[in-house]
Amino acid sequence: MSDDETVGLPWPADTAGDAEMAAGRVQSTEVLDWQARAQRIAHAHAGGSTVLHHWVPAQPNGLAPLVLLHGGSGSWTHWVRSIGPLLDTGHDLWAVDLPGFGASDVPPGVVDADGMLPVLADMLQALFPLQTVRLVGFSFGGMTAGMLAAAYPHLVQQLVVVGAPGIGLTNKHPFRLKGWRHLPEPREQLRNHVFNLGELMLHDHSVIDRNTVALHVANVQRDQLPRRRISSTDVLVRALAQVECPVAAIYGGCDALYPGTLDEVERLMAAHARHWQGMQRIAGAGHWVQYESPAAFHAALLPLLAA
């Protein structure tokens, strides 16, 4: 999309409903379904609590707990299309709202991923005192997961990063997102949300339906960490040099973070990770790959987790 392009909304005008959605008070039906099946857990910290959603598989596979970390301005709902496939293969599943996002409060002094690492480590040690976990992190959550595994290697037995920043190639990003908080009309705001989803998150714009927009808006409305900046550095690459467990990566082949530079991303990761399991690319998918192309994404992820 060009920066001056005005996008339409993929549903008819609904003055009251659009106002509710723009305020973040409408949620995806997929999210509501999985939320109703989850156990909600709040782990206390100095600023309030970190919230997790937990799903127990019908037939556990006996592997270590699987902890999912979402992307920036997001929540556990970034993983909504992964819950079913992961449960069906027996994974004990925990999806975190990172501190300052979703339903989780901001701990004192935390403004970016590096500040939340002690809070997340305390949470993991409290919930899983006798075992290590497997971390799968998307985007900002992938960067955070890498830093967490580097700083607290005794807590993590496997790391999979999905569409993660922190590679140090951000000067090559061509996308430009549109602001929305200043706009007076809800439908104007929603149009810019649709534009931003198409610019950064999803390569196939036909995926952007009313449920997708509702999920996205409910997340960005709750972002309490607007000053975060370290994702534009090479912080993940540097962290990988300290990670002791196996590391793998999955990216959409059309990820807007790294257009035409995924070869370089893979080279940098492979050069720094001690136990590198490789990068897989999902053809035709954008940044939010697990939502846009769930079948192909899980075909890549599930064998990694089984191994």
Side-chain angles (χ1 to χ4, degrees):
M1 295 183 185
S2 63
D3 187 53
D4 59 354
E5 182 178 345
T6 300
V7 300
L9 297 181
W11 64 86
D14 172 4
T15 301
D18 291 345
E20 286 291 290
M21 184 184 293
R25 293 191 289 265
V26 177
Q27 187 51 275
S28 156
T29 55
E30 288 177 279
V31 169
L32 293 175
D33 179 43
W34 284 112
Q35 185 172 273
R37 306 189 206 183
Q39 177 191 15
R40 186 183 188 274
I41 298 165
H43 178 73
H45 59 62
S49 65
T50 301
V51 173
L52 307 91
H53 285 76
H54 179 213
W55 296 267
V56 179
Q59 295 183 309
N61 58 23
L63 299 175
L66 185 61
V67 179
L68 306 178
L69 304 185
H70 61 77
S73 301
S75 74
W76 71 269
T77 65
H78 274 167
W79 293 103
V80 68
R81 292 184 176 172
S82 296
I83 298 165
L86 291 170
L87 284 179
D88 287 345
T89 46
H91 294 286
D92 181 30
L93 194 56
W94 302 73
V96 182
D97 279 2
L98 291 168
F101 301 103
S104 293
D105 301 303
V106 183
V110 171
V111 297
D112 213 322
D114 51 352
M116 64 180 68
L117 299 181
V119 175
L120 294 172
D122 179 73
M123 177 193 74
L124 293 178
Q125 290 175 125
L127 292 174
F128 313 106
L130 300 176
Q131 59 189 145
T132 55
V133 302
R134 296 166 300 151
L135 291 179
V136 181
F138 165 57
S139 193
F140 176 87
M143 180 186 74
T144 304
M147 296 169 65
L148 185 62
Y152 301 92
H154 61 289
L155 299 179
V156 183
Q157 67 171 243
Q158 183 180 17
L159 172 66
V160 181
V161 298
V162 180
I167 308 299
L169 302 175
T170 48
N171 61 320
K172 300 180 181 181
H173 295 179
F175 63 85
R176 183 176 178 180
L177 303 181
K178 291 186 175 184
W180 50 272
R181 293 186 187 274
H182 66 289
L183 296 173
E185 295 298 326
R187 204 157 174 89
E188 288 184 86
Q189 294 183 27
L190 293 173
R191 277 195 288 267
N192 280 9
H193 287 306
V194 170
F195 179 91
N196 291 344
L197 280 165
E199 276 291 283
L200 173 58
M201 299 292 278
L202 299 164
H203 180 66
D204 179 1
H205 297 171
S206 70
V207 178
I208 307 173
D209 59 11
R210 191 174 189 276
N211 271 319
T212 302
V213 177
L215 185 161
H216 174 72
V217 175
N219 280 335
V220 298
Q221 280 282 10
R222 297 183 291 172
D223 181 352
Q224 301 175 68
L225 296 181
R227 293 186 291 159
R228 61 187 190 277
R229 296 288 183 272
I230 63 173
S231 63
S232 63
T233 71
D234 64 347
V235 64
L236 175 58
V237 167
R238 288 186 283 111
L240 290 180
Q242 307 302 319
V243 173
E244 297 178 3
C245 66
V247 178
I250 303 174
Y251 282 74
C254 302
D255 193 324
L257 287 184
Y258 300 109
T261 59
L262 284 177
D263 287 344
E264 192 170 355
V265 172
E266 184 173 9
R267 181 186 64 78
L268 287 167
M269 286 187 164
H272 287 79
R274 300 179 186 182
H275 305 288
W276 178 238
Q277 294 183 304
M279 177 195 288
Q280 298 190 54
R281 308 180 197 188
I282 308 303
H287 182 55
W288 193 6
V289 55
Q290 73 272 27
Y291 186 89
E292 183 171 1
S293 299
F297 173 78
H298 296 111
L301 176 65
L302 291 171
L304 288 172
L305 298 177

